[in-house]
Amino acid sequence: MKAFRYERAKTVEAAVAASSDATAILKANGLDLLDRLKERVNEPDRIVTLIDVPGLDKIEKLENGAIRIGAMATLSDVAASPLLAATAPLRRSLVKAAEEAASPQLRNRATVGGNLCQHTRCGYYRVKTFDCLKRGGGGCPARAAGGVQETAGIFGNELCASAHPSSLAPVFGALGAQVVVVGKGGERRMSIGELYTAPVSGKASDTTLAPGDVITAVEIPFQRPDRAAFYEVRQRAAFDWALVSCAVAFDGGEVAVKPGAGIWLGSVAPTPIRAVAAETYLIGKSFSDGVARATAQAAALGGTPLVGNTYKVELVKVAVHRALMAAWEKS
């Protein structure tokens, strides 16, 4: 890997200042970053670590009832949190997503902020010999004839067929969480949808974060849904990235599902995506297995699979249906 200067910021403000130009890159615990450095996908002059910044690993309930999860909290912290496990919706969604991600060793180091900001695992992006759009190339090798397409995205894949690997992002999206970001202009909040951006030539990151922007926490609002769940399909039950994941959250259902239902998909597009058509269908319906299946059908609409991953359309239907049924079991 390229030689770089390593800086240990002691405060969020120091991290913002030290990472405010394009030659620097932020590091949480560095699991994804280390891979990218070794593969020379990223070659920064300076790495600014958040390890020494106090308080970024807290999981706490705020005075207004919202739950704040620090960006440096590990997936193991999330999976073991009594606060998050105390209610069925969070236990079935966020806790489940955290405890099923990667392997126990990786969960002990992987952070919430890192999970949201990790780069695609697409091999064409990770190996510099390929002409990849994300690295300024002229196209998407996965879309080309003979390209490896089995794990590629099936939505929004016209320019780039990568699949975003975050397991937590769909859950935070479905729960209506806000990402807390501190940058050169101070603190601001953004939704999960606002955190991510469609592929642009030469832009490796999938987020809208600018140099100097530091994710400090994710806040789940105090008005949380009565029902929520997460479901993912993987090739192996052991360490693997999801082929398709789904997070759902909604209120009601005995008479009618109330407005505000959230259905988010992961590993099917360059960014986590909201299944708007499925949400629209579900809202106002009295919940049943049939409604869940029809909602799952709606979630798969608009998919444009490649020759090698048409199976993902059916997996979307399976993941959405099973997530909805799991959410329906309230206790």
Side-chain angles (χ1 to χ4, degrees):
M1 65 179 72
K2 175 186 171 182
F4 55 83
R5 192 172 77 198
Y6 188 68
E7 296 189 16
R8 302 178 73 110
K10 303 299 183 183
T11 65
V12 172
E13 292 73 21
V16 170
S19 62
S20 291
D21 64 74
T23 66
I25 194 166
L26 277 171
K27 170 187 169 295
N29 279 339
L31 296 184
D32 180 32
L33 177 60
L34 181 58
D35 287 342
R36 302 199 314 265
L37 293 174
K38 290 190 294 186
E39 294 156 357
R40 289 186 175 265
V41 174
N42 293 111
E43 296 181 300
D45 294 330
R46 185 167 66 259
I47 291 179
V48 182
T49 181
L50 299 172
I51 290 176
D52 295 334
V53 180
L56 291 185
D57 60 349
K58 289 183 179 179
I59 300 176
E60 58 186 338
K61 191 171 185 177
L62 304 180
E63 290 183 1
N64 64 4
I67 292 178
R68 182 182 177 97
I69 303 172
M72 289 295 288
T74 67
L75 300 192
S76 291
D77 293 335
V78 172
S81 169
L83 176 62
L84 298 176
T87 60
L90 295 184
R91 185 172 66 249
R92 292 178 183 274
S93 58
L94 184 56
V95 171
K96 182 176 174 63
E99 66 187 7
E100 292 186 352
S103 66
Q105 295 88 343
L106 294 180
R107 289 194 294 270
N108 286 339
R109 297 296 295 166
T111 62
V112 169
N115 186 272
L116 294 179
C117 293
Q118 63 185 303
H119 291 201
T120 178
R121 302 291 170 168
C122 175
Y124 295 115
Y125 166 72
R126 296 274 173 163
V127 179
K128 292 188 69 174
T129 55
F130 292 105
D131 185 38
C132 171
L133 179 87
K134 282 181 173 293
R135 294 199 314 274
C140 175
R143 291 187 57 86
V148 177
Q149 301 174 343
E150 285 80 2
T151 59
I154 61 172
F155 295 98
N157 57 2
E158 294 81 7
L159 296 178
C160 170
S162 63
H164 199 277
S166 175
S167 53
L168 300 188
V171 178
F172 286 137
L175 293 172
Q178 294 283 301
V179 181
V180 183
V181 179
V182 177
K184 288 178 281 189
E187 184 178 280
R188 67 187 190 276
R189 282 165 169 73
M190 58 176 65
S191 67
I192 288 294
E194 293 168 332
L195 177 63
Y196 295 101
T197 182
V200 176
S201 180
K203 188 177 189 302
S205 171
D206 302 301
T207 73
T208 58
L209 299 176
D213 282 345
V214 178
I215 294 179
T216 58
V218 179
E219 292 184 1
I220 302 171
F222 71 94
Q223 290 183 323
R224 293 181 285 278
D226 292 335
R227 307 175 189 271
F230 174 81
Y231 189 87
E232 69 175 10
V233 183
R234 291 182 286 177
Q235 289 180 323
R236 299 168 294 182
F239 168 55
D240 211 347
W241 288 284
L243 296 170
V244 173
S245 65
C246 175
V248 303
F250 61 95
D251 287 310
E254 292 86 352
V255 177
V257 174
K258 297 178 182 179
I263 301 176
W264 281 70
L265 301 173
S267 299
V268 294
T271 67
I273 60 169
R274 185 179 179 185
V276 177
E279 293 176 356
T280 301
Y281 177 84
L282 179 63
I283 292 169
K285 301 291 192 306
S286 177
F287 192 88
S288 67
D289 180 74
V291 166
R293 292 183 184 278
T295 302
Q297 293 282 339
L301 295 175
T304 55
L306 305 177
V307 174
N309 66 358
T310 55
Y311 75 96
K312 276 200 173 188
V313 176
E314 293 304 313
L315 286 192
V316 167
K317 299 174 187 177
V318 169
V320 174
H321 175 253
R322 292 185 180 178
L324 286 168
M325 296 307 294
W328 183 244
E329 301 171 6
K330 287 184 68 173
S331 60

